[in-house]
Amino acid sequence: QVDLAESGGGTVQPGGSLTLSCVASETTYRPYCMGWFRQSPGKEREGVATLDSEQFTSYADSVKGRFTISRDVAKNILYLQMNRLKPEDTAMYYCAAESGGRFCWPQGLVEDADNRGQGTLVTVSS
């Protein structure tokens, strides 16, 4: 099992920015779909963004235009750049991956991920 380790969470004021990183323990790890989902206390998991093996990206409507997912292929690091953060973005953010599959989309990753990290907490508060 390849380990996924997230970092970059923290506390930021509304309107601020954060960049999350997800490092895979093996640089040769190449799952079909990688992405981020989040979960707040008392709420369901919400898919945030995904990136497939052809670098096609997909975003939840709630973050579209504010968040950007990207990947450094050489270092095998997945990023989530989060801009114009809102209090409702407060959540534990998880990096996740699905080895196979036909479709790569945020809520699909929540349901079908076969690997995930331990999470990093993002708090948006004034």
Side-chain angles (χ1 to χ4, degrees):
Q1 178 78 348
V2 175
D3 293 328
L4 300 176
E6 304 95 335
S7 62
T11 300
V12 63
Q13 293 187 341
S17 299
L18 280 175
T19 299
L20 306 183
S21 300
C22 172
V23 179
S25 59
E26 294 183 13
T27 57
T28 57
Y29 184 53
R30 294 288 186 272
Y32 162 67
C33 180
M34 289 195 75
W36 299 87
F37 68 87
R38 64 189 181 186
Q39 188 166 24
S40 303
K43 294 187 177 180
E44 297 290 323
R45 291 178 180 178
E46 178 189 15
V48 174
T50 53
L51 185 151
D52 72 12
S53 56
E54 296 183 3
Q55 304 295 301
F56 180 80
T57 59
S58 183
Y59 297 92
D61 288 343
S62 58
V63 307
K64 202 171 292 183
R66 300 188 298 122
F67 290 12
T68 302
I69 189 171
S70 62
R71 185 175 184 177
D72 184 326
V73 177
K75 297 180 180 179
N76 213 6
I77 302 175
L78 186 73
Y79 298 100
L80 185 68
Q81 172 69 43
M82 306 185 294
N83 298 325
R84 291 185 281 139
L85 283 160
K86 304 175 181 180
E88 52 263 43
D89 294 318
T90 295
M92 186 71 79
Y93 283 72
Y94 298 89
C95 173
E98 180 183 356
S99 299
R102 295 180 58 193
F103 303 105
C104 182
W105 62 292
Q107 202 57 31
L109 184 63
V110 171
E111 299 168 1
D112 298 330
D114 50 29
N115 196 3
R116 52 167 272 192
Q118 296 298 308
T120 186
L121 181 63
V122 172
T123 303
V124 185
S125 173
S126 56

